Amino acid sequence: MKAIFKRENFCGNFEIHSLLSTAEIADLYAKADCYVMLPNQEGLGVTYLQSMAAGLLSVGSNVGGIPEVLKHGECGYVLGSAIELQTVLDSIDSREE
């Protein structure tokens, strides 16, 4: 993933993390503009609940319980594929301007 971010010149805009403590996660949520995780499979999507509790707009995949948690267009976006991500990020960016 890091190689893809570097190749696509995303390095200044995104961060990839491994295992973090609860305090580190809360700190990252507080600094973030939005939360994006696009798994191929997911049960409930607890990280989306955490990010929304921190006041972040969340973006996830159309798998498992994610669509029920995010409610597309209401409190986040549910994508059918990673290809849709750029359109959603552009939409978020244009709302902030």
Side-chain angles (χ1 to χ4, degrees), residues 32-75:
D33 295 318
C34 67
Y35 178 77
V36 178
M37 186 173 78
L38 303 172
N40 292 326
Q41 58 183 5
E42 180 73 30
L44 172 62
V46 172
T47 59
Y48 300 105
L49 296 173
Q50 293 170 332
S51 65
M52 289 187 298
L56 294 175
L57 180 68
S58 298
V59 180
S61 304
N62 190 19
V63 296
I66 297 170
E68 293 176 37
V69 170
L70 290 184
K71 302 289 184 201
H72 185 78
E74 292 178 30
C75 55

